[in-house]
Amino acid sequence: MQAFSYVSAKSVSEASAILAQEGDNAKVLSGGTDIIVQLREGRRSAHVVVDVKAIPELNELSYDAAAGLTIGAAVPMHRIYGDAKLAALYPGLMDSATLIGGTAIQGRATLGGNVCTASPAGDALPTLIALNARCVVASANGTREIAIENFFAGPGRTVLQKGDLLVAFKLPAPQPNSGAAYLRFIPRNEMDIAVVSAGVSVQLSADKSTFIAARIALGAVAPTPLFVPEAGAALIGQPVGAVAVNAAAEIAKAAARPISDMRGSAEQRKHLSAVMTKRTLEIAIERARA
Amino acid sequence: MIETQEFKVIGTRPIRPDGIDKVTGRAQYGADIKLQGLLYGRVLRSPHAHARIRSVDVSAAEKLPGVKAVITGRDFPAASNETVHAGEGVVNFSYLSENLMAQTRALYHGHVVAAVAAVDVHIAEEALKLIKVDYEVLTPVLDVIEAMRDDSPVVLQEVRTDELGEKGTKPTNIASHGRHDLGDVDKAFANAAVIVEREFVTGTVHQGYIEPQNGTAISSMDGSITAWTSTQSAWDERREISEVLKVPLAMVRVIPMEIGGGFGGKLNAYLEPLAAALSRKAGHQPVKLTMSRDEVLKATGPTSASVMRVKMGADKSGRIIAAYAWMAYEAGAFPGSPIGAGAAVIFGPYRFENARIDYYDVIVNKPKAQAYRAPGGTNAAYAAEVVVNDLAEKLGIDPLEMRLKNGARQGDRRADGPTYGPIAYLETIEAIKVSAHYNSPKPAPSRLGNKVGRGVASGYWGNWDGRSSASAVINSDGRVSYLEGSTDIGGLRASLAMQLAETIGLKYEDIRPMMGDTQTVGFNDATGGSRSTYGSGMAAHRLGLKIIAEMQKHAAALWDVQPEQVNVKGDVYSCGEKAITFKELAGQLDETGGPISVSVSLDTKGALPTFATQVVDVEVDVETGKLQILRYTAAQDVGRAIHPSYVEGQIQGGVVQGLGWAMHEEYVYDKDGHLLNGSLLDYRMPTALDMPMIDTILVEVPNPNHPFGVKGVGEVPIVPPAGALANAIYDAIGVRMNVLPMNPRNVLKAIGTI
Amino acid sequence: MSRKISVSATINGQENEFLCEPRQSLLEVLRDVLNLTGAKEGCNNGNCGACSVLLDGVLVNSCLVLGVEAQGRSITTVEGLAGDELHPLQRQFLENAALQCGICTPGFLVASKALLEKNPNPTEHEVRYFLAGNLCRCTGYDKIVKAVMAAAEEMRAKA
Ligand SMILES: Cc1cc2nc3c(=O)[nH]c(=O)nc-3n(C[C@H](O)[C@H](O)[C@H](O)COP(=O)(O)OP(=O)(O)OC[C@H]3O[C@@H](n4cnc5c(N)ncnc54)[C@H](O)[C@@H]3O)c2cc1C
Ligand code: FES
Ligand code: FES
């Protein structure tokens, strides 16, 4: 591997200062499950690696019925799904957290890393879009919030600028009668990268007969995770059932613009876009009704 | 005689002697070795699948601080063009040498172009970046059918087809075309009531051992070479190092370390000669080379992709009267795919009076194909077993009955020549027929719309015997130090010690086995071809007989009688009233003539083919094309299960490898011949979550040629899974698959969804 | 060559101080610096689990941890499982013939230990899910899963 120096930053300001100074020569190290591989294989380079796991704000994991959920960017998956209260409140997020890598990857991999890697197939991304997450970003000029669906610029690229550090995610508290889910299609049952995935959230009327809100996002069918607002919008006001679900799935499929690669072909992905959307909606509806 | 034999040790399940080291992390595998002054090497590989190498400039790399040696093709003497049998196949040393280190042509993505030794791996890696190679990129040949066309670019200009024994005249990618003929196929097809003909395409797959290749070597000032490595075949490696580096055979010592899987992929040298050449240049310091996973997938293994056409015809009664196979296997960049074995397997389980097999070995710009567990067998059986089921269905015959009716038995002549001795194929079919699995209803699907199917298939594998040596020392405490030379990849030391213990009437624990190297024990063929428990077991038995004879002499000396007068029963030596145990006698060796050590070297014969029949239940997700294996039962003729757990383990491991091949595994290349999925995330081998328990049925029909009835068990279990799974998919959704892997995309395509 | 950094960490219960470059992985440090070659390299990119260790009790792939990240942390490797006697998992792996070549075994043992600490009574499915990041090419997993279940039962009986 190329030589680099290592800094374990103790505060947001310390990390942002190094990132601002070093620019592209500095790389953030969170769980390291992407960046260490990339550095080793020469796909990225760094003079300095900034470990952000010792920064308190990036390790926050707190929930408040009014403010919702705050997840520090450096919180690893095993902490997310290890929290029983969160697991009950955000089952969709748990779907993602328990799918990423195997158990050992989940011991390290973080939500911030998954988002900043910006793989179109990243398993947390459609879920975070469905859950309406906002990204808290710090720089020398202070902090700002970015809606997750506006965070991605292309495969492996985000809107973060020189000196920016992703600090945390903010997720609204779940609405009553709502449910979310994430499903991915992979040939094996574990340890695979999504061929197509779908993250959805739905909110039903009090009698659980009608959709009153829905967000649908797809993974691995476009250069970035694909938010399909029109698929969610099509559900609103519709009676809960197969007709509405299938219609939304077809809209999602129409929006998908996949490529063929070693993991799947474009036709396969197009086809699976509808299947995964439908299946994910079915789970989310079941959860909303529970 | 064997049937009624009562065993004390054989058939029990003792713990292997190397077990504690392996569960505590102490066992020394190839990459674990540490030596004084050890240097670390890295290898530069061609980024092109096909290129002319105009020049290699290593001057900048040599100047990097910490770099101790750089080698290129120039450091390799021209190797002889001789072809010899080694491992499970044939080795041509000229091509072996060129595969180890390219000279003027890069023949596949990952072909070695240079190597560096430095004080640590990171510096060696940096040095690789400083090597400048000037390539003239050529059009790669990537597909077996394209490669066979007259207008295809040619990979190796010097190759001429060996066309049924005659050399061709023009450059070609077809290294050979062979044919087996039995009876009159054309006439028989004309008489058939039902004919099925199908074409099959299968992908390139890898052995997938978890331990990457490694090789550590010292080239000493006296010209000798010592190499430590993970190998299935220390003696073949020694020969290869000797030939490639032009060092006399006896000046090379290969020390086999513990090995992390091989499956045929560690029969040949990849790194050891490079490490030795680097050591020679680096002031005779030892050099360790290890491969990354990406290098393993790019440049070692794999086994052949293939295209096959199979046609079978049956009469109204369901008897198969004619069979034809056309088979083309990719050899990779040099001649020598396992096509010969594939041609033996394809119709192996069946008795035909009329058969023809045309088979082709075809060169393409991919890594040189190597053996992989029952080399060439899984894909061949896939084709045949799907066709047999199709015939059975058209005739309205149950697939197991079809196999019972047409299954090979003693005295039948196989399509590729040999006549079967005492084999036990039908017994494996019967075992499945009465199994709990086959007699229970199919499980219900786990989601609405999914379909569940059940399929069966059979498989044949020839098995090897080969040469084995061993030696032993009797210790004064009555224990036996036992040195054997076959690589132990999965409990062999235990299985051999058990056979020795059984022979001399001792307890398993009284045998202290150890693996020797090319300097410490006599010649041994590879651990491959399912030979080691057979051939080295025979050597253990013969060694035991020699020990007994020596002990008889000592007992005779003790009692002042003739050795022939000493009776031996178990561990008790007696003559008239006098009796002494092995242990007691061992304590009196010095008084009765001195220490005992014995050794044997055998060229064993008499291995018998084995057969397997397997049944699988699969759930098909019709919407996504995804398969889930729900239940699996594998019956196999195992001769005699020396250590039943290890026999079961061989079957379970073989089945799961076969299922990986059947469901997911395949090399994905881009149009320029770059391997795209050189990682274990994207080369999808089965995980624990993908598989159910694999139930085994050990059918024990002892081999009369072996003192304990052993037959090779390791390879045949990988032969049936792909065919069984295809037949189960058909049962579930009515679609006959004709491509491997049967991954979700290919299943959806077969259904017609995409 | 970049500068070496001094790192102190507890390894298998012992205080330890070592020097390493930031680019060296924990796996490399364990194997090449500390001579603990029990953790194996099967892929060096998190795909096989042969390098599994516990980092402050959490299962991780040591090939995806930098050696310098071990500062102040506690690490358990396969060498740390046995005391005077084998750990029940180690013994059950032997008795159930759960290893063939054994290269994956250290990783499976460490991962299984992490599983049983979290879930002393796992179902077969839970065992398979938890161990899905550990590849074994020899055994087909059958006997590994049985060994883990047997060890769990034994440990529950003793607890
Ligand atoms: C074997 C294996 C299996 C995997 N399986 C999956 C899978 O199933 N699904 C999936 O989605 N992914 C998978 N991944 C990829 C990876 O594990 C995930 O993307 C993970 O979430 C990355 O998190 P991390 O903390 O390890 O990221 P790191 O590697 O630490 O960082 C990733 C990138 O984000 C940047 N970064 C990290 N944190 C910040 C921050 N706070 N601010 C700014 N930039 C930052 C880093 O510089 C780097 O470029 C797998 C990886 C491996 C090795
Ligand atoms: S070596 Fe670390 S996961 Fe394979
Ligand atoms: S025992 Fe060989 S890889 Fe698991």
Side-chain angles (χ1 to χ4, degrees):
Chain A
M1 209 192 306
Q2 56 199 301
F4 50 76
S5 58
Y6 169 86
V7 180
S8 173
K10 296 293 177 296
S11 67
V12 171
S13 56
E14 183 189 355
S16 335
I18 302 171
L19 295 177
Q21 195 188 335
E22 297 283 334
D24 206 35
N25 288 329
K27 291 287 176 304
V28 171
L29 169 70
S30 190
T33 59
D34 279 317
I35 192 70
I36 292 179
V37 178
Q38 291 163 353
L39 290 170
R40 184 173 287 143
E41 292 173 358
R43 285 187 280 136
R44 305 254 167 132
S45 70
H47 294 170
V48 54
V49 163
V50 185
D51 190 343
V52 295
K53 288 191 290 297
I55 303 174
E57 290 88 333
L58 276 80
N59 274 305
E60 187 178 343
L61 187 61
S62 64
Y63 177 75
D64 175 307
L69 176 64
T70 303
I71 305 182
V75 173
M77 302 301 162
H78 80 98
R79 264 186 74 200
I80 297 176
Y81 62 68
D83 186 320
K85 190 170 130 205
L86 289 189
L89 285 165
Y90 295 95
L93 189 59
M94 301 308 134
D95 291 341
S96 290
T98 52
L99 280 181
I100 291 176
T103 325
I105 296 290
Q106 291 153 14
R108 294 267 292 171
T110 66
L111 216 48
N114 199 251
V115 166
C116 291
T117 284
S119 156
D123 280 315
L125 318 187
T127 311
L128 289 172
I129 294 174
L131 293 174
N132 223 340
R134 299 184 71 75
C135 307
V136 182
V137 175
S139 70
N141 307 328
T143 59
R144 62 188 195 279
E145 284 191 15
I146 303 171
I148 182 82
E149 60 266 33
N150 300 327
F151 194 80
F152 306 102
R157 286 184 294 120
T158 68
V159 298
L160 291 184
Q161 301 293 309
K162 183 175 171 183
D164 280 348
L165 178 71
L166 176 63
V167 175
F169 300 94
K170 288 198 148 67
L171 277 66
Q175 297 293 312
N177 307 317
S178 70
Y182 175 78
L183 269 186
R184 66 177 180 183
F185 181 77
I186 55 171
R188 289 190 289 191
N189 291 336
E190 257 288 323
M191 294 302 285
D192 229 327
I193 301 300
V195 176
V196 169
S197 67
V200 310
S201 69
V202 296
Q203 188 185 358
L204 309 183
S205 56
D207 65 354
K208 295 175 182 170
S209 67
T210 314
F211 292 103
I212 59 174
R215 283 171 73 91
I216 295 175
L218 298 178
V221 296
T224 63
L226 188 66
F227 180 37
V228 194
E230 63 274 25
L235 288 174
I236 295 170
Q238 298 298 312
V240 175
V243 174
V245 165
N246 288 336
E250 285 306 316
I251 296 172
K253 177 179 170 180
R257 34 179 215 281
I259 55 163
S260 291
D261 65 14
M262 62 171 162
R263 296 187 181 124
S265 68
E267 309 79 68
Q268 181 191 16
R269 289 192 158 111
K270 196 83 178 158
H271 165 74
L272 288 172
S273 299
V275 178
M276 298 319 286
T277 305
K278 182 186 69 165
R279 291 187 179 183
T280 314
L281 276 170
E282 283 164 0
I283 298 172
I285 291 166
E286 205 180 292
R287 286 175 178 166
R289 283 178 162 162
Chain B
M1 166 204 136
I2 294 165
E3 309 286 345
T4 56
Q5 227 169 319
E6 290 249 336
F7 295 120
K8 289 206 174 70
V9 183
I10 285 170
T12 64
R13 303 178 188 235
I15 286 173
R16 57 204 277 175
D18 49 326
I20 289 182
D21 281 353
K22 284 187 175 153
V23 297
T24 54
R26 246 181 274 285
Q28 291 282 297
Y29 289 77
D32 298 338
I33 190 159
K34 293 278 157 56
L35 296 166
Q36 230 174 39
L38 185 62
L39 300 175
Y40 296 81
R42 277 285 183 263
V43 169
L44 184 70
R45 295 179 182 276
S46 168
H48 309 293
H50 196 187
R52 195 162 293 127
I53 300 171
R54 291 206 194 96
S55 66
V56 184
D57 177 0
V58 300
S59 51
E62 283 174 333
K63 287 192 197 105
L64 186 73
V67 170
K68 299 291 180 178
V70 184
I71 56 169
T72 67
R74 288 192 294 275
D75 296 278
F76 278 74
S80 77
N81 217 355
E82 192 190 351
T83 299
V84 298
H85 279 273
E88 278 186 274
V90 166
V91 173
N92 170 307
F93 289 117
S94 169
Y95 283 149
L96 177 83
S97 176
E98 191 174 357
N99 194 25
L100 288 169
M101 178 66 83
Q103 295 285 341
T104 55
R105 50 192 186 184
L107 295 168
Y108 53 93
H109 179 208
H111 197 168
V112 180
V113 176
V116 173
V119 295
D120 73 43
V121 281
H122 301 284
I123 293 174
E125 270 167 22
E126 283 169 15
L128 295 186
K129 293 194 198 118
L130 301 175
I131 297 175
K132 291 187 205 71
V133 187
D134 183 12
Y135 294 101
E136 178 190 340
V137 179
L138 305 172
T139 310
V141 180
L142 297 169
D143 176 87
V144 66
I145 295 295
E146 268 174 41
M148 292 175 81
R149 293 215 176 97
D150 280 343
D151 58 352
S152 168
V154 171
V155 178
L156 301 176
Q157 291 300 328
E158 68 276 18
V159 167
R160 303 288 178 272
T161 306
D162 179 341
E163 171 69 32
L164 308 177
E166 303 259 323
K167 272 278 171 223
T169 52
K170 54 179 203 322
T172 172
N173 295 316
I174 304 174
S176 66
H177 167 208
R179 173 177 293 168
H180 299 303
D181 244 331
L182 186 68
D184 186 339
V185 219
D186 296 333
K187 203 169 121 202
F189 273 121
N191 292 331
V194 186
I195 292 178
V196 170
E197 183 170 10
R198 296 186 162 275
E199 180 173 294
F200 301 85
V201 178
T202 73
T204 306
V205 298
H206 196 271
Q207 293 80 354
Y209 36 79
I210 302 301
E211 175 200 43
Q213 260 83 0
N214 57 77
T216 303
I218 298 181
S219 172
S220 173
M221 279 176 234
D222 65 5
S224 67
I225 290 172
T226 306
W228 295 259
T229 181
S230 300
T231 176
Q232 291 177 249
S233 187
W235 280 264
D236 288 323
E237 293 258 356
R238 181 174 70 143
R239 177 85 194 265
E240 293 175 5
I241 294 170
S242 150
E243 292 282 348
V244 168
L245 297 180
K246 299 277 175 248
V247 176
L249 198 61
M251 296 290 276
V252 181
R253 178 180 181 192
V254 174
I255 302 177
M257 306 292 289
E258 297 296 344
I259 177 172
F263 312 111
K266 290 181 184 160
L267 292 164
N268 299 110
Y270 286 98
L271 296 174
E272 302 81 350
L274 304 185
L278 284 166
S279 169
R280 187 145 71 186
K281 241 183 160 170
H284 309 287
Q285 274 176 271
V287 175
K288 171 151 81 177
L289 284 168
T290 53
M291 283 195 197
S292 67
R293 177 55 55 177
D294 177 59
E295 291 178 281
V296 170
L297 289 167
K298 266 184 195 150
T300 74
T303 210
S304 305
S306 64
V307 175
M308 296 165 292
R309 295 179 203 121
V310 175
K311 181 175 168 187
M312 289 188 196
D315 65 17
K316 275 203 216 75
S317 77
R319 214 165 49 85
I320 305 175
I321 55 174
Y324 175 69
W326 183 98
M327 315 169 72
Y329 278 30
E330 288 183 2
F334 302 100
S337 70
I339 183 73
V345 169
I346 191 157
F347 297 146
Y350 301 101
R351 47 184 351 201
F352 305 136
E353 274 154 28
N354 307 285
R356 172 175 290 173
I357 304 170
D358 279 307
Y359 58 99
Y360 297 84
D361 185 39
V362 183
I363 300 162
V364 293
N365 287 113
K366 294 185 186 174
K368 163 80 177 73
Q370 302 291 4
Y372 175 24
R373 201 170 199 153
T378 302
N379 45 338
Y382 170 59
E385 293 298 294
V386 169
V387 171
V388 167
N389 261 40
D390 198 352
L391 261 188
E393 190 199 14
K394 292 203 161 62
L395 290 156
I397 300 175
D398 170 82
L400 285 184
E401 293 305 329
M402 185 75 181
R403 287 172 174 80
L404 281 172
K405 199 183 273 281
N406 291 287
R409 40 210 97 179
Q410 181 160 6
D412 286 343
R413 185 155 162 234
R414 208 169 62 222
D416 61 315
T419 299
Y420 281 127
I423 53 168
Y425 169 39
L426 304 185
E427 288 84 338
T428 68
I429 308 173
E430 295 287 358
I432 289 296
K433 211 173 136 186
V434 301
S435 68
H437 181 170
Y438 199 70
N439 290 290
S440 57
K442 283 185 272 186
S446 66
R447 74 178 283 135
L448 206 68
N450 285 7
K451 303 280 187 210
V452 172
R454 175 170 292 169
V456 296
S458 295
Y460 147 91
W461 183 249
N463 292 329
W464 187 25
D465 22 45
R467 296 160 291 180
S468 283
S469 304
S471 62
V473 173
I474 313 301
N475 298 290
S476 58
D477 62 2
R479 292 185 175 83
V480 177
S481 304
Y482 165 43
L483 192 65
E484 63 87 13
S486 282
T487 299
D488 176 358
I489 318 188
L492 181 67
R493 270 165 287 205
S495 301
L496 295 181
M498 290 170 78
Q499 294 183 62
L500 179 56
E502 191 72 57
T503 309
I504 59 181
L506 294 192
K507 292 207 290 289
Y508 166 77
E509 294 76 20
D510 291 330
I511 312 292
R512 306 294 303 160
M514 191 182 132
M515 235 162 73
D517 64 56
T518 61
Q519 192 82 35
T520 57
V521 65
F523 186 93
N524 279 267
D525 271 315
T527 287
S530 301
R531 69 166 290 277
S532 292
T533 305
Y534 181 87
S536 295
M538 261 185 172
H541 175 256
R542 187 70 66 82
L543 193 68
L545 297 183
K546 275 195 167 181
I547 291 171
I548 292 172
E550 288 301 310
M551 292 297 271
Q552 276 175 307
K553 284 186 209 157
H554 282 258
L558 187 66
W559 299 321
D560 208 9
V561 298
Q562 292 303 307
E564 305 79 69
Q565 293 171 267
V566 177
N567 291 316
V568 186
K569 192 154 192 288
D571 67 339
V572 179
Y573 291 71
S574 64
C575 179
E577 295 291 287
K578 291 185 256 324
I580 188 166
T581 66
F582 186 100
K583 262 202 170 128
E584 291 161 350
L585 186 55
Q588 297 180 45
L589 292 186
D590 285 344
E591 298 81 26
T592 52
I596 297 178
S597 69
V598 294
S599 65
V600 297
S601 284
L602 300 183
D603 187 358
T604 70
K605 299 280 181 265
L608 284 180
T610 42
F611 294 83
T613 301
Q614 303 176 351
V615 53
V616 59
D617 293 349
V618 69
E619 177 167 353
V620 184
D621 184 331
V622 184
E623 270 185 326
T624 65
K626 185 164 169 166
L627 308 177
Q628 182 64 45
I629 307 294
L630 301 178
R631 188 170 182 186
Y632 208 101
T633 303
Q636 185 173 321
D637 167 26
V638 301
R640 171 93 59 207
I642 299 294
H643 190 304
S645 298
Y646 294 159
V647 174
E648 292 159 9
Q650 287 297 318
I651 296 173
Q652 291 162 338
V655 164
V656 169
Q657 281 185 318
L659 289 172
W661 189 339
M663 294 167 73
H664 301 303
E665 294 177 33
E666 106 184 279
Y667 275 31
V668 183
Y669 286 96
D670 68 12
K671 64 175 189 1
D672 299 321
H674 299 119
L675 180 67
L676 298 177
N677 59 336
S679 78
L680 294 179
L681 202 55
D682 290 317
Y683 182 81
R684 299 173 173 121
M685 310 198 300
T687 72
L689 197 60
D690 298 318
M691 288 295 140
M693 294 296 182
I694 307 296
D695 294 331
T696 58
I697 302 173
L698 309 187
V699 180
E700 291 192 280
V701 182
N703 178 353
N705 304 326
H706 188 279
F708 300 115
V710 170
K711 291 177 186 165
V713 302
E715 287 171 295
V716 74
I718 199 179
V719 178
L725 186 59
N727 291 335
I729 294 170
Y730 180 79
D731 183 47
I733 58 172
V735 174
R736 291 225 185 264
M737 296 298 297
N738 59 1
V739 56
L740 291 184
M742 298 179 280
N743 62 20
R745 187 171 68 239
N746 286 332
V747 171
L748 283 185
K749 271 195 202 156
I751 295 175
T753 308
I754 57 171
Chain C
M1 218 183 310
S2 57
R3 263 208 8 233
K4 291 198 174 176
I5 295 182
S6 165
V7 177
S8 45
T10 307
I11 296 171
N12 296 327
Q14 303 255 309
E15 297 285 322
N16 227 300
E17 210 170 321
F18 57 85
L19 286 175
C20 76
E21 288 182 60
R23 64 176 165 184
Q24 286 182 289
S25 69
L26 176 60
L27 177 63
E28 223 181 306
V29 167
L30 289 170
R31 291 178 53 82
D32 293 345
V33 180
L34 300 172
N35 242 323
L36 291 168
T37 55
K40 303 298 182 198
E41 179 185 314
C43 68
N44 217 16
N45 57 11
N47 294 347
C48 77
C51 66
S52 301
V53 302
L54 304 182
L55 183 63
D56 287 339
V58 176
L59 181 69
V60 300
N61 300 121
S62 61
C63 68
L64 295 187
V65 177
L66 299 179
V68 289
E69 289 185 73
Q71 172 59 40
R73 319 282 294 272
S74 140
I75 291 151
T76 306
T77 71
V78 69
E79 288 94 340
L81 293 198
D84 285 342
E85 285 181 8
L86 292 180
H87 187 281
L89 277 163
Q90 292 171 311
R91 200 161 27 68
Q92 291 291 357
F93 265 58
L94 290 179
E95 285 174 7
N96 286 278
L99 49 144
Q100 286 181 30
C101 80
I103 198 84
C104 68
T105 308
F108 269 101
L109 287 168
V110 171
S112 303
K113 180 174 151 75
L115 165 66
L116 298 187
E117 272 165 15
K118 241 177 72 165
N119 180 356
N121 192 6
T123 62
E124 179 190 331
H125 182 83
E126 285 167 339
V127 172
R128 290 184 181 276
Y129 167 76
F130 198 93
L131 298 178
N134 291 77
L135 292 177
C136 173
R137 190 60 159 175
C138 299
T139 64
Y141 303 105
D142 183 300
K143 293 185 189 303
I144 293 178
V145 174
K146 286 183 178 135
V148 175
M149 307 277 289
E153 194 180 324
E154 181 186 329
M155 287 163 73
R156 282 198 309 277
K158 272 194 210 141

